[in-house]
Structure formats: structure tokens, C-alpha cells
DNA sequence: TAGATTGTTAATCGATTAACAATC
DNA sequence: TAGATTGTTAATCGATTAACAATC
């Protein structure tokens, strides 16, 4: 028989897929809040996202008991509870690593600012870029990253360098003490287990989309409802 | 008893999750190819991606029989077969809709160009932007989209407008005949079923990352191996 | 041949959905 | 109270993994 008494040391971590859905619930809740609603049922919350009410309740139950039988969920309370649960009830200072086109785009991305993700520093290894000022931030040499990270000013890094240098720069980020990397380079990174990486590979997303479009059209073609749109050159 | 004889009309479409993995296999295969390998086993292909050999074989089997027992897969053949299966053995002309920071970044994104995704037009509803030239392309008014789409020049659109106007512009794209939308606005879009949408919500990704970092650190904290990095202001 | 590796079937695992007693 | 909706258990579904005969 296993020693179950000592289990609680494990941090109960909701599955990745649940965390993703909770982000969506949060957006939906904010939309309902803006419309003036004060309470909401699991069915109402799930409907616009095409998620079943049982799924909604089970996901929320991962983080605690927020609902009131017969009534539903109080929107203000639920938003607060979910933000706390996701850890976004505080500021998250970000660093942009690599100031190419993508890095500049992220500097201006409002989706971060409205969610307490704040870009507070820019690093680049190109001496020609160091010292330039964008959005009120001066580009610093990559060597400065360690100081910023160890002083606790920065926890997450947006890795925006070309694929060729991504692993090398990621190694430097790890060495500097960064524990979370949002990776935009289309290569899988190798990092120690205590470092967290989420890769956003836009060409993977586009390939997914192309496949859906292609298959969808073949499906329609098979039923003879659409002229050929793909494959004709 | 159901009429099984008429089933084949359905297009057998590999599950979304399989298509995502196949994109990763493709990148890995190209890496092995560059290193000079000519054949590869399911174990070798899966290892760098932390995917089990059985999973690799099962995923590939969705698209046909490509392997040779006792030998493995011939890399050149497999790359060709997978590209065909995913529909990326042809050019996919793209339109950028909305020329803000993000739109400009995508114009310069090499990850697209190297995979036969080609941005061939830019549309914006802001008259001040129409007529400007970026990367050799002249910004056109949104009304021109329909002509470009129906002439078959464009199948996929990269939607890069602010959240507030995303649904309105998506409606125009649908009306113009675009069948695939890569949506960068952090709002879920409502579109007819024959239109395919993939949403890339960067703040959802960042929220996932923040959660992992937070939980990872709590885990380490609980075991007393790390000083507090989060929550101190 | 002996060794390696496939494609596929069966077993396992985890996630989604349905159902319902408990509650307001 | 009657109606609504929760949290949770049990049933269903789908995806992952293991195992192995067939093959080179």
C-alpha cells in the first residue's frame, strides 16, 4: 500500500487543457459583465464558446466551489477567483528578447497591456540596436538580462529571435534565471525541467488552417456544391 | 441498423491534434534531412519531440502506408507524402487584413515564406493607409478583397485588426469568399460552418505560461528549494 | 538467417458527457 | 414550496500506449 498520507506535497495542477478553457471563460465573463449581467449559469457561460454546461462546472470545480445551486455564479466573484487561480491578479513584467519585426509588434500589442502583462525591458544582442528607444524603453544588451531577472524585475521572456539563434538565446535566458519563455521561433527548445516554455508556431497554425480548408472543400466538392477552388493554378 | 454502405461520402479527416503533430514531424524530418540522414525510424523521429514511437506510427498511418518494416521511413518520400497530405505541396496565397504593428510583423515573418505561404495582398479600411507600399505590396481598400478572393488569388486571410472591429471585418471576409481565417484578435469569431477559423490568442498563451511558472514555483517552494520569486512586490 | 521495425489490434488511460441528489 | 442550478458520481467516448504478427 502506498504512503498516501504524504501526497499533499504535490501541487495539484489543473490540466493544461482546462487552463486554456478557463482563459476563455474569463474573456466571456468580462463580456457579460460589460453587458450588465451580475450572475450567470454554467449553460449561459458555455453556450457562446460551444462548451457543454457539465464541462464548464467541472473545469471551474478544479479551482474551488464558486457556484450557488439554483442561482449560478456571481460574475464579479468568479472573475476575481479565476484571475487569482490563474495567477493573473498581479502584474507580470515581461522582457522582449530580440527586436525584429515581431518584437516590435508585440511592443504595441494591446492584448497584453489590458491583462496586466507589461513589457518592461527589451534586449538584443545586435550592438547596432542597443541604445535605441521604442515605446519608451531603451534596448539593452543581452548581458543585462541576468541582472534584471535576478533582481526579480522580470519573470517571463518573449523570445522573438530568428530560428537559427533561438536555442542559443534561450540558453542565455535560462542562465539568466528566466523561468517562463513564450517562444515564437519555429523550433522546439530544449530547456531544463524547471523552465516553462510555450511555443507559438504560426506556420503550424497556418498548416492546420490550410488542412481544414482543403478537407472542408474536398468534402463540399464530393457533394458537388462548390466549384474547385484549390489545386487549380 | 444504420445504412453503413453510404458512409464513404464523409471525407476522412485526421483529428486536429494529429495534424498539429504532423507539422512537428515535418520540421523534425527536415532537420534530419539537413543533417544528411536518408531513413529514420518512428523511435528516432519521436524522441526529440518526446512522442512515443507507437504514436508516431499511428499518426502517420492516418495518411497512408509510408514505412518499410525493418528499415523505417525514407525521409525524402515521407516529407513529400506529408506535405501532400497536409496540402502544403502548393503555394497558399495569403492576404493580410489590417496593417497595424502585427500586420507589419507578419509581412516580414520568414516562417511563412519558407513554407510556401505567400502574402500577396494587404487590405485596410483606413483610407490613410490605402496606397502605402510595404514589402512591395500596395495597401488596398477592404472593398477590393472580394474581387481578389473570387478570382481565386487568395484563399486564406490573416486577420490583424483590433478586437473591436474583428467580427465586423471577419463578416466582410466571409462575404468576400475567404474560407480560412487566421485570427489574431483576442475574441472568438462567429462564422458560417463552411468557413474555417484558427484563433491565435497570445494572451491566452501567456496566461498558460504564467500559470505554469506560478505552479512550478509553488511546487518548488513547498519543498523549500527556491526563494519566493512571485508575489513579492 | 537474425535483427530491426513496421502497421494494427487490444489494453490502458484520461477527458467529456449525462444523470442526479443536494441546495438555494 | 416549485423551479433552477450546482458539484459530483458514473457512463461514455476518444486518444495514447503496449504488444505482436508480418515483413524486409
Amino acid at each position: 500500500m502506498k504512503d498516501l498520507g504524504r501526497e499533499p506535497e504535490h501541487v495539484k495542477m489543473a490540466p493544461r487543457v482546462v487552463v486554456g478553457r478557463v482563459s476563455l471563460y474569463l474573456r466571456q465573463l468580462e463580456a457579460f459583465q460589460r453587458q450588465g449581467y451580475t450572475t450567470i449559469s454554467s449553460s449561459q457561460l458555455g453556450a457562446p464558446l460551444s462548451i457543454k454546461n457539465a464541462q464548464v462546472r467541472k473545469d471551474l470545480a478544479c479551482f474551488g466551489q464558486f457556484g450557488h445551486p439554483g442561482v449560478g455564479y456571481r460574475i464579479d466573484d468568479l472573475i476575481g477567483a479565476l484571475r487569482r487561480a490563474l495567477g493573473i491578479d498581479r502584474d507580470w513584467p515581461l522582457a522582449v528578447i530580440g527586436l525584429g519585426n515581431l518584437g516590435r509588434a508585440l511592443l504595441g500589442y494591446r492584448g497584453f497591456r489590458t491583462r496586466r502583462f507589461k513589457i518592461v525591458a527589451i534586449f538584443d544582442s545586435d550592438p547596432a540596436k542597443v541604445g535605441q528607444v521604442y515605446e519608451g524603453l531603451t534596448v539593452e544588451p543581452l548581458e543585462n538580462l541576468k541582472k534584471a531577472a535576478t533582481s526579480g524585475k522580470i519573470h517571463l521572456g518573449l523570445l522573438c529571435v530568428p530560428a537559427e539563434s533561438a536555442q542559443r538565446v534561450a540558453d542565455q535566458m535560462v542562465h539568466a534565471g528566466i523561468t517562463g519563455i513564450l517562444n515564437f521561433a519555429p523550433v522546439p527548445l530544449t530547456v531544463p525541467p524547471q523552465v516553462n516554455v510555450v511555443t507559438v508556431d504560426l506556420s503550424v497554425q497556418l498548416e492546420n488552417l490550410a488542412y481544414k480548408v482543403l478537407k472542408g472543400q474536398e468534402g463540399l466538392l464530393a457533394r458537388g456544391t462548390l466549384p474547385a477552388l484549390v489545386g487549380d493554378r
Side-chain angles (χ1 to χ4, degrees), chain A residues 122-169:
Chain A
I122 309 171
F123 299 91
D124 202 301
S125 51
D126 180 355
K129 285 179 181 159
V130 170
Q132 292 184 12
V133 177
Y134 292 89
E135 307 272 339
L137 298 170
T138 304
V139 180
E140 300 179 55
L142 207 47
E143 299 82 57
N144 287 18
L145 178 59
K146 185 160 193 172
K147 206 175 65 209
T150 50
S151 74
K153 278 209 288 282
I154 292 167
H155 300 137
L156 306 180
L158 310 177
L159 181 56
C160 310
V161 302
E164 306 81 70
S165 38
Q167 182 64 56
R168 187 173 47 74
V169 175

Side-chain angles (χ1 to χ4, degrees), chain A residues 79-80 82-92 115-116:
Chain A
I79 288 177
L82 294 181
R83 284 205 181 126
R84 250 189 314 285
L86 291 190
I88 53 169
D89 58 336
R90 68 202 76 193
D91 288 343
W92 281 92
R115 310 214 131 245
R116 303 189 70 176

Side-chain angles (χ1 to χ4, degrees), chain A residues 92-109:
Chain A
W92 281 92
L94 309 178
V96 165
I97 320 286
L99 192 72
N101 281 302
L102 184 59
R104 270 192 293 272
L106 295 178
L107 282 175
Y109 187 63

